[in-house]
Amino acid sequence: MSAKLRASFFVFFVLLLAGCATVPPVAVDYDPQADFAGLRTYYLLEPLATGPVSPLEIKRARQALDALLRMRYQPAQSADSADFLVRLQLNSVEKVAVYEDSYALYGGYRYWGFGWRAPLEVRQYRENFLVLDVLSPQSSPLWRASTPSAAARYADPAQSQQRLSEELALMLNRFPPY
């Protein structure tokens, strides 16, 4: 096989795998009467957290959001002087999934061996969501985005910070809504 054919095959394979990669869904809702054109300065409110969210996760999310907002808007000194307010919410829920493995049958009831049934597999996991709210200076809702978050899956804080930045950037790419 020639080097050119191998390189073509490699490029095709990489493009095929890239097509399988999915971007997490971002749900967006906004007030259609709101005027987003005049928004220049923001004030970042204290983040909210529900469920088992560590203070370090909150700190990383706040830092990532502030860095992304500074790329497009100016930070305000207070909530009263800002054009819009931004609140980040981290929601975490512990869940349990129960699966029945129909291909792996086992039997037996004590030592007599009566009956057959499929074994159950139980897995506990944590589901995380990021919710980003943009509010008017009077705290009325203007825009909201939410997405599932995979940042807590990383053991390395730098990787978790990078993932949070990517997820928040996906959300902020949809702001303003037009």
Side-chain angles (χ1 to χ4, degrees):
M1 184 183 273
S2 72
K4 195 174 199 178
L5 185 60
R6 269 189 255 151
S8 297
F9 180 71
F10 179 73
V11 168
F12 173 74
F13 186 69
V14 168
L15 290 174
L16 181 69
L17 287 178
C20 296
T22 59
V23 177
V26 176
V28 175
D29 192 15
Y30 64 95
D31 181 5
Q33 281 83 31
D35 180 24
F36 294 98
L39 302 180
R40 305 272 185 264
T41 61
Y42 73 94
Y43 183 77
L44 191 56
L45 300 170
E46 284 299 313
L48 300 176
T50 58
V53 179
S54 79
L56 292 173
E57 287 176 286
I58 295 169
K59 181 180 178 182
R60 280 192 283 275
R62 182 181 171 89
Q63 289 172 346
L65 179 59
D66 194 37
L68 288 168
L69 285 170
R70 285 177 186 263
M71 290 182 193
R72 294 179 12 191
Y73 303 101
Q74 293 294 320
Q77 296 299 321
S78 68
D80 297 330
S81 64
D83 293 333
F84 64 100
L85 309 174
V86 180
R87 170 161 284 140
L88 176 66
Q89 297 179 43
L90 291 96
N91 300 324
S92 181
V93 179
E94 293 286 337
K95 292 192 170 188
V96 175
V98 179
Y99 303 99
E100 186 175 301
D101 187 0
S102 60
Y103 296 111
L105 294 177
Y106 72 96
Y109 176 72
R110 296 191 187 171
Y111 50 87
W112 288 308
F114 294 118
W116 291 89
R117 64 178 177 174
L120 296 177
E121 181 181 333
V122 179
R123 183 176 67 92
Q124 186 174 355
Y125 65 98
R126 187 171 138 188
E127 193 172 77
N128 299 310
F129 284 92
L130 293 174
V131 179
L132 191 57
D133 289 313
V134 172
L135 310 166
S136 72
Q138 296 80 23
S139 296
S140 64
L142 299 176
W143 180 86
R144 172 177 263 204
S146 63
T147 189
S149 177
R153 294 181 188 162
Y154 297 102
D156 182 26
Q159 288 179 324
S160 179
Q161 178 81 24
Q162 178 65 31
R163 183 63 184 199
L164 277 170
S165 293
E166 292 169 0
E167 292 167 349
L168 289 167
L170 283 173
M171 295 167 76
L172 285 174
N173 283 341
R174 308 270 306 266
F175 181 76
Y178 45 82

